[in-house]
Amino acid sequence: MRKLVRYLKDYKLESVLGPLFKMLEASFELFVPLVMAQIIDVGIKNQDASYILKMGGLLVLLGIVGLACSLTAQYFAAKASVGFSTALRNDLFAHINHLSYSEQDKIGTATLITRMTSDVNQVQSGLNLALRLLLRSPFIVFGAMIMAFTVNVKAAMVFVVAIPALSVVVFGIMGVSMPLYKKVQRQLDQVTLATRENLTGARVIRAFNRQEDEIRRFEESNGLLVRFQIFVGKISALMNPITYVIINLAIVAVVWISGKQVDTGIITQGETVALVNYMSQILVELIKLANLIVSISKALACANRISTVFEVKSSITDPGEAGIAAGRTKDNEEQKVCFRQVDFAYTGAKEDSLSCIDFTAGKGQTIGIIGGTGSGKSSLVNLIPRFYDVRQGKVLIDGRDVREYSLQELRYKVGVVPQKAVLFKGTLRENMQWGKKDATDEEIYRALDMAQAREFVDSKEKGLELFIEQGGKNLSGGQRQRLTIARALVKQPEILIMDDSASALDFATDASLRRAIREGTKGMTVFLVSQRATTIRNADQILVLDDGHMVGKGNHQELFEHCEVYREICLSQLSKEEVQ
């Protein structure tokens, strides 16, 4: 939590004024029992109605001033806590976006979503309560004890015994419950994971008729969360009855001692009532403090979980502007992309996913990459825009190591069409301008023509104002793929990577797409990843991968004659006439 306190730096004044006004409210509240004592000892005893009304008016005034202080404190506390959580959430989101694929894979999407939503909300709530009550409650507890000493020292000794006993109970339960709340939040991650998988995979679940199995899985995960919450709730619930018992025993002791002193005339009846009221105030405030501690315990547990995300540093380091300058001064016009004895392994993997990858792609060439499932095709192309870093060897663009480029400059050079077609909620124009913010309608339509998407866009009769739902749910799989290809083409990158991005297209559309890209991307180095031999057979250079190793490199005819893996792929997909 200490690491997150810096987000309050812009709200220092509010963080001081909130507790200050709450203590002012508490100060006025501490005078109420003394006023009541005067009403009993003077007004009621002497049957003086005017005095009773005057002191009653004073009580109303104290109430109004206290309410004004309370509302002011609430305003400042809310402003500080909401501002704190806004800044925290913004930084957390930015930090997550700067993590490499390796860190995001390791932490997990469900965990990151929980940190961004539930955990930040818990911290915001805990901070709000802390600013309002963390100083107020102890102030009233010890203030009431001091005021009790001004009334009667002997009776006030009961407070000296009761308050430490109550503190032991409150802080003891807090010490036990805090680790348990961390366990509850970890289990919440699992519930979030199950929920996310069910929502994103709803079609698959229904296709395999696994609804009942998934419901059972969710109930088990949710049931475990409920059991954790009930267990920690039972421990926290002990606080109220134990504090009530201690307080009521203390009230009995105060009445007993004060009653004897009233009989002897040492103190008055009004002062006895004031002592009982002070003890009641302590009871109320300690209950508030107990609930506050539960909330703060949750907030601290969540804050620690958020801090662990901030502590994760991206394995992809950005050299910054120095990298941009260096990259621009050493362009190599002949060799656009070079892999030099590249080995790559995912975090935690026991074996390399790619081994000894070595090839050169010239400017304007089309490079086809083919291989079986899990052969490392996507892993290879993900090294070019530096989504992952190599374990050994080098990836060069324009003769310079990609690690020496700034990420901004590097990814400006590269356009990526991922395996999974992802579109964002908004208009078609807004989605197309992801590649180039100032792209004109003419540039967008040119990219749509190349991606074979113009026809279906025109059929929608809304042009570039066509509204796309979240994830492109209102489009077919093939339409989404063509739009993602168009989005990459809009920016006119120097290097275009198409990672099996036409798998949902029919063969005729796929052929038209390849022909349009070949004709419309002169000077652009294109990487085509596919499991279709027809997609890559006309590439200038074809790389054949098998279990992370490059087992073939050359054109279609050379590989068909000399590479057994490539020949098997072709014969399984093409007729003998098509092979030739």
Side-chain angles (χ1 to χ4, degrees):
M1 182 68 183
R2 288 192 299 272
K3 296 178 181 178
L4 304 184
V5 173
R6 62 190 176 91
Y7 291 101
L8 277 174
K9 66 184 179 190
D10 295 329
Y11 302 94
K12 292 178 181 177
L13 182 62
E14 289 83 355
S15 300
V16 172
L17 291 177
L20 179 62
F21 275 96
K22 265 296 178 181
M23 286 194 289
L24 280 174
E25 178 208 357
S27 299
F28 291 118
E29 192 172 324
L30 288 173
F31 286 110
V32 171
L34 295 180
V35 175
M36 285 299 300
Q38 289 298 107
I39 291 175
I40 293 170
D41 292 337
V42 179
I44 295 176
K45 182 179 179 181
N46 300 325
Q47 296 184 351
D48 187 344
S50 62
Y51 185 82
I52 293 173
L53 289 173
K54 183 175 70 173
M55 298 305 286
L58 180 58
L59 286 177
V60 172
L61 179 62
L62 288 172
I64 293 172
V65 175
L67 177 62
C69 291
S70 178
L71 292 175
T72 305
Q74 176 62 59
Y75 168 78
F76 287 123
K79 185 177 180 181
S81 59
V82 171
F84 168 90
S85 63
T86 300
L88 173 60
R89 196 179 285 110
N90 287 340
D91 273 13
L92 182 59
F93 184 77
H95 179 74
I96 290 170
N97 272 277
H98 282 95
L99 294 178
S100 72
Y101 284 9
S102 297
E103 284 74 44
Q104 291 187 9
D105 294 342
K106 183 178 179 180
I107 299 172
T109 304
T111 299
L112 293 174
I113 290 173
T114 305
R115 299 291 191 275
M116 280 287 300
T117 53
S118 174
D119 286 355
V120 174
N121 289 339
Q122 287 279 14
V123 173
Q124 176 184 325
S125 177
L127 178 61
N128 192 329
L129 290 171
L131 290 175
R132 290 190 293 117
L133 299 176
L134 191 60
L135 293 180
R136 180 190 189 278
S137 293
F139 180 80
I140 284 192
V141 169
F142 290 104
M145 184 176 70
I146 292 169
M147 296 298 285
F149 272 100
T150 65
V151 175
N152 184 266
V153 175
K154 187 176 180 181
M157 293 305 294
V158 176
F159 290 73
V160 176
V161 176
I163 290 175
L166 290 166
S167 300
V168 169
V169 171
V170 169
F171 289 104
I173 291 176
M174 182 187 73
V176 174
S177 63
M178 276 189 66
L180 295 174
Y181 279 119
K182 293 179 183 178
K183 194 174 182 180
V184 167
Q185 289 299 116
R186 282 196 297 270
Q187 184 58 29
L188 181 60
D189 285 346
Q190 298 304 313
V191 175
T192 305
L193 174 62
T195 304
R196 182 177 180 276
E197 287 183 341
N198 273 269
L199 292 176
T200 56
R203 288 185 173 88
V204 176
I205 292 168
R206 292 177 185 180
F208 286 90
N209 198 28
R210 295 294 296 269
Q211 294 98 314
E212 294 301 321
D213 292 337
E214 290 302 309
I215 290 171
R216 193 179 307 112
R217 175 182 164 226
F218 179 83
E219 287 177 347
E220 289 174 359
S221 183
N222 193 45
L224 188 58
L225 173 63
V226 170
R227 287 195 292 275
F228 285 160
Q229 288 177 321
I230 289 174
F231 180 68
V232 70
K234 285 179 178 178
I235 294 174
S236 299
L238 289 173
M239 199 174 295
N240 281 1
I242 294 175
T243 51
Y244 266 106
V245 168
I246 294 172
I247 283 291
N248 281 291
L249 287 175
I251 289 175
V252 169
V254 167
V255 172
W256 178 267
I257 295 170
S258 300
K260 289 184 176 181
Q261 291 181 320
V262 169
D263 288 341
T264 57
I266 297 173
I267 63 173
T268 63
Q269 293 174 333
E271 289 172 336
T272 301
V273 172
L275 288 170
V276 172
N277 283 342
Y278 281 129
M279 190 61 77
S280 298
Q281 283 184 347
I282 290 173
L283 171 62
V284 172
E285 292 306 319
L286 281 171
I287 292 171
K288 287 181 183 178
L289 186 61
N291 293 327
L292 171 65
I293 288 171
V294 171
S295 297
I296 290 178
S297 299
K298 292 180 181 178
L300 289 173
C302 293
N304 289 332
R305 285 155 50 87
I306 294 170
S307 293
T308 58
V309 176
F310 279 117
E311 289 168 3
V312 176
K313 302 302 179 185
S314 176
S315 57
I316 306 293
T317 56
D318 190 348
E321 292 297 324
I324 296 177
R328 286 173 177 163
T329 57
K330 294 193 177 183
D331 281 356
N332 186 318
E333 296 295 333
E334 300 299 323
Q335 300 179 350
K336 192 65 181 177
V337 179
C338 299
F339 275 60
R340 292 286 177 261
Q341 295 298 317
V342 167
D343 294 342
F344 167 72
Y346 288 100
T347 303
K350 295 181 179 179
E351 298 179 356
D352 286 346
S353 298
L354 295 171
S355 299
C356 301
I357 305 299
D358 193 284
F359 71 91
T360 298
K363 183 177 181 180
Q365 281 192 331
T366 297
I367 310 299
I369 303 175
I370 195 168
T373 302
S375 59
K377 303 185 296 296
S378 296
S379 300
L380 188 150
V381 293
N382 281 335
L383 297 176
I384 298 172
R386 226 185 143 202
F387 292 149
Y388 297 94
D389 266 343
V390 299
R391 185 182 66 78
Q392 191 171 325
K394 290 182 179 181
V395 178
L396 308 175
I397 292 180
D398 293 330
R400 192 164 192 84
D401 196 319
V402 293
R403 288 170 290 193
E404 296 178 6
Y405 282 94
S406 81
L407 294 178
Q408 182 180 3
E409 176 75 359
L410 174 64
R411 290 170 187 172
Y412 182 79
K413 288 175 174 283
V414 182
V416 180
V417 187
Q419 278 183 315
K420 183 179 180 181
V422 177
L423 296 170
F424 298 90
K425 185 177 181 180
T427 64
L428 176 57
R429 179 182 286 105
E430 290 169 345
N431 271 272
M432 292 298 103
Q433 288 177 335
W434 271 68
K436 185 179 179 183
K437 291 182 180 179
D438 58 350
T440 63
D441 289 0
E442 183 181 350
E443 290 174 319
I444 294 173
Y445 277 121
R446 179 176 177 274
L448 290 172
D449 285 329
M450 290 174 60
Q452 309 301 301
R454 179 70 177 268
E455 183 180 351
F456 88 80
V457 169
D458 288 343
S459 69
K460 301 286 186 180
E461 298 181 350
K462 292 184 179 179
L464 298 181
E465 294 303 315
L466 172 65
F467 185 77
I468 296 175
E469 294 181 4
Q470 181 183 1
K473 293 293 195 307
N474 57 333
L475 301 173
S476 69
Q479 290 171 342
R480 288 198 296 270
Q481 283 194 338
R482 280 177 277 175
L483 289 182
T484 55
I485 293 169
R487 181 176 60 195
L489 291 170
V490 165
K491 68 184 288 189
Q492 286 294 300
E494 297 175 22
I495 301 165
L496 176 65
I497 297 172
M498 297 178 62
D499 187 1
D500 203 12
S501 53
S503 58
L505 303 183
D506 58 79
F507 286 97
T509 305
D510 186 21
S512 299
L513 171 66
R514 283 184 279 111
R515 184 168 55 253
I517 290 176
R518 186 168 57 251
E519 294 172 354
T521 58
K522 300 297 183 183
M524 185 186 298
T525 304
V526 180
F527 285 83
L528 290 176
V529 177
S530 181
Q531 295 187 48
R532 290 180 182 177
T534 53
T535 300
I536 53 91
R537 63 176 294 173
N538 294 320
D540 298 305
Q541 186 179 181
I542 300 172
L543 310 178
V544 185
L545 298 182
D546 184 39
D547 195 25
H549 295 81
M550 193 165 68
V551 295
K553 177 172 63 173
N555 60 36
H556 168 74
Q557 199 62 41
E558 292 171 346
L559 290 171
F560 187 77
E561 293 176 3
H562 302 107
C563 180
E564 183 180 347
V565 174
Y566 184 75
R567 185 165 54 250
E568 288 177 358
I569 293 172
C570 289
L571 292 175
S572 67
Q573 298 180 12
L574 307 173
S575 65
K576 291 184 178 179
E577 292 77 12
E578 290 175 320
V579 167
Q580 302 301 324

